[in-house]
């Protein structure tokens, strides 16, 4: 028995919450427009079909659905992963409410997508982590650089007072190591000047990096362009964006080389994102830049701390490139995200196309 009351149907059709109805055989008899949008499936195609035409769950809960249809047991699932018929994955909350009719129980199911809220929460956490790290590094830099300056100065004075020139080798080691530590701290701090904002096109940045990496790899890594030519110009710091993109691409390049990946490939992809919420702020238009490689992937234990200074999964890595890139994106009110599994790693740069002072 499908929903027949016109007033009830009108009400459900205008809800922003996805609602579906199934009969006792778990066949779809109704979808409201919100459900059609959520599952990218029209009602005409879905009605009369099993639930799997809309989605399948990552965790097998078929017995719970059948028990609800046969015995009238309601149940709720929170933040469960589902795969749509087109292969897209989503995270949803849903509640199954059995309703007894003359033909047995029918199931009314309310579903809410959680992906957007989870992503916003994750991005806000990333912003907070990055700001905490910057404060920590600034404090550490102050505590390290002050005594380093004293050590370096004392070594220079000692060098002048030494009676034997052969002993100056030791003071030179002290001075050079003090300079090396100071440079390391400066790199951890990232860009120390405010962005030099000007009009530019993101494809100009990517083409510059593309040419540099092609020269460095000598054709050993295949480089692919997948650009959206409709992207408008942005206001940003050209040199800083080049550094951020180059750090990420070089990271991918070195990972491919060290792992000796067969048919190594890096893809440069751009897309526009409209009415997109980044952290707690909604942007009318964003530029999305994806740097994709087919390397071994990033170990899962590193994913949570990937953008921390001195964190690296490569033996020869410094662990500063990604931290600096994230700092640069934050100065442009943007963010870098990463998804990785063996065979595919995606670094996604999200940059607002409107500049905020």
């Amino acid at each position: 028995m499908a929903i027949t009351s016109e007033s009830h149907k009108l009400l459900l059709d205008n809800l922003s919450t996805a609602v579906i109805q199934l009969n006792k055989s778990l066949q779809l008899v109704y979808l409201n427009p919100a459900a059609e949008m959520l599952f990218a499936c029209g009602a005409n195609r879905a009605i009369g079909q099993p639930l799997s035409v809309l989605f399948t769950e990552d965790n097998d809960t078929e017995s719970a659905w059948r028990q609800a249809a046969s015995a009238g047991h309601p149940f709720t699932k929170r933040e469960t992963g589902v795969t749509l018929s087109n292969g897209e994955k989503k995270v949803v909350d849903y509640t199954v409410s059995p309703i007894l009719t003359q033909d047995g129980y029918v199931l009314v199911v309310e579903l809410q997508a959680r992906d957007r809220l989870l992503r916003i929460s994750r991005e806000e956490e990333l912003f907070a982590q990055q700001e905490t790290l910057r404060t920590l590094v600034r404090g550490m830099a102050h505590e390290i650089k002050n005594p380093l300056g004293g050590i370096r100065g004392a070594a220079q004075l000692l060098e002048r007072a030494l009676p034997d020139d052969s002993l100056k080798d030791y003071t030179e080691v002290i001075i050079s190591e003090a300079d090396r530590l100071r440079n390391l701290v400066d790199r951890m701090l990232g860009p120390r000047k405010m962005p030099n904002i000007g009009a530019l096109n993101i494809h100009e940045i990517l083409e510059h990096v593309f040419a540099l990496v092609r020269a460095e790899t000598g054709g050993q890594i295949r480089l692919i362009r997948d650009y959206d030519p409709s992207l408008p110009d942005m206001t940003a710091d050209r040199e800083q964006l080049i550094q951020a993109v180059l750090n990420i691409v070089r990271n991918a390049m070195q990972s491919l080389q060290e792992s000796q990946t067969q048919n190594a490939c890096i893809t440069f992809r751009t897309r526009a994102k409209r009415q997109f919420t980044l952290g707690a702020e909604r942007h009318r238009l964003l530029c999305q830049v994806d740097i994709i490689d087919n390397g071994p992937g990033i170990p899962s234990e590193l994913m949570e701390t990937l953008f921390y200074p001195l964190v690296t999964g490569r033996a020869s890595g410094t662990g500063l490139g990604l931290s600096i890139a994230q700092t640069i994106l934050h100065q442009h009110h943007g963010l870098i995200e990463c998804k990785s599994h063996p065979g595919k790693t995606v670094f996604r740069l999200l940059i607002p196309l409107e500049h905020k002072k």
Side-chain angles (χ1 to χ4, degrees):
M1 184 184 82
I3 295 168
T4 56
S5 168
E6 285 301 319
S7 60
H8 290 167
K9 184 176 184 302
L10 182 64
L11 179 65
L12 291 173
D13 284 350
N14 285 278
L15 288 178
S16 60
T17 301
V19 178
I20 63 176
Q21 183 186 347
L22 299 97
N23 61 22
K24 62 183 179 181
S25 301
L26 298 182
Q27 294 174 320
L28 290 157
V29 294
Y30 170 78
L31 290 82
N32 72 347
E36 293 181 78
M37 289 186 62
L38 176 61
F39 298 114
C41 182
N44 290 338
R45 176 187 164 218
I47 289 175
Q49 300 296 316
L51 184 62
S52 58
V53 77
L54 295 183
F55 67 87
T56 55
E57 288 189 66
D58 295 350
N59 298 320
D60 184 17
T61 57
E62 183 179 352
S63 60
W65 286 85
R66 295 202 174 281
Q67 193 171 18
S70 61
H73 290 166
F75 69 96
T76 298
K77 294 292 293 292
R78 301 292 183 193
E79 295 185 7
T80 186
V82 299
T83 303
L84 308 193
S85 58
N86 61 7
E88 183 183 356
K89 291 186 177 295
K90 287 184 178 290
V91 177
V92 299
D93 291 346
Y94 69 79
T95 297
V96 178
S97 303
I99 299 174
L100 185 60
T101 69
Q102 294 177 348
D103 301 323
Y105 285 103
V106 297
L107 304 182
V108 175
V109 187
E110 303 166 73
L111 305 105
Q112 289 185 320
R114 297 287 298 170
D115 304 77
R116 181 172 175 270
L117 293 175
L118 291 172
R119 180 180 55 77
I120 290 172
S121 177
R122 185 175 66 249
E123 287 169 356
E124 287 181 334
E125 185 179 350
L126 279 172
F127 279 122
Q129 285 178 351
Q130 191 70 11
E131 192 56 40
T132 300
L133 280 171
R134 288 175 66 183
T135 303
L136 177 64
V137 169
R138 285 193 196 102
M140 185 177 68
H142 177 76
E143 294 300 323
I144 291 176
K145 291 176 76 172
N146 280 349
L148 276 181
I151 292 170
R152 191 182 193 283
Q156 287 177 317
L157 292 174
L158 179 62
E159 186 176 62
R160 294 173 191 164
L162 288 174
D164 188 345
D165 285 349
S166 65
L167 297 176
K168 292 183 179 180
D169 290 343
Y170 300 109
T171 55
E172 287 174 0
V173 168
I174 296 172
I175 293 169
S176 66
E177 287 301 291
D179 288 342
R180 185 180 67 83
L181 285 174
R182 184 187 61 195
N183 290 336
L184 176 63
V185 171
D186 285 341
R187 290 184 63 199
M188 288 175 64
L189 286 168
R192 299 174 63 186
K193 60 181 181 179
M194 293 302 293
N196 181 21
I197 298 298
L200 57 87
N201 189 282
I202 190 61
H203 298 126
E204 175 196 349
I205 303 295
L206 296 179
E207 284 298 291
H208 183 86
V209 174
F210 189 97
L212 288 175
V213 174
R214 182 171 56 186
E216 288 183 24
T217 59
Q220 294 180 350
I221 296 176
R222 187 160 63 102
L223 304 177
I224 299 173
R225 302 176 179 94
D226 179 9
Y227 295 161
D228 179 353
S230 69
L231 277 171
D233 288 353
M234 64 172 67
T235 50
D237 186 309
R238 182 179 185 275
E239 296 303 319
Q240 287 193 8
L241 281 189
I242 287 175
Q243 183 182 5
V245 175
L246 188 58
N247 284 356
I248 291 171
V249 176
R250 277 196 175 134
N251 201 63
M253 177 188 75
Q254 291 162 0
S255 175
L256 290 169
Q257 290 173 334
E258 291 177 7
S259 63
Q260 299 181 341
T261 299
Q262 297 295 315
N263 302 314
C265 173
I266 299 175
T267 300
F268 296 64
R269 184 170 68 193
T270 60
R271 293 292 184 268
K273 304 283 284 186
R274 289 176 173 81
Q275 300 302 330
F276 192 85
T277 302
L278 192 59
E281 189 170 358
R282 190 170 184 83
H283 296 274
R284 183 178 59 83
L285 189 62
L286 282 176
C287 170
Q288 174 183 307
V289 179
D290 291 340
I291 306 299
I292 308 166
D293 72 74
N294 63 340
I298 298 168
S300 57
E301 62 269 19
L302 290 182
M303 290 299 292
E304 292 298 319
T305 57
L306 192 59
F307 296 102
Y308 288 10
L310 305 180
V311 172
T312 180
R314 296 185 295 105
S316 60
T318 63
L320 292 176
L322 294 179
S323 174
I324 291 171
Q326 188 73 281
T327 298
I328 291 171
L329 264 289
H330 280 194
Q331 288 186 349
H332 288 79
H333 308 281
L335 182 71
I336 304 175
E337 299 177 330
C338 178
K339 292 183 179 179
S340 180
H341 58 79
K344 185 176 183 180
T345 296
V346 181
F347 279 92
R348 175 163 294 171
L349 292 76
L350 298 166
I351 313 166
L353 284 172
E354 71 275 13
H355 175 61
K356 298 181 183 295
K357 294 183 179 180

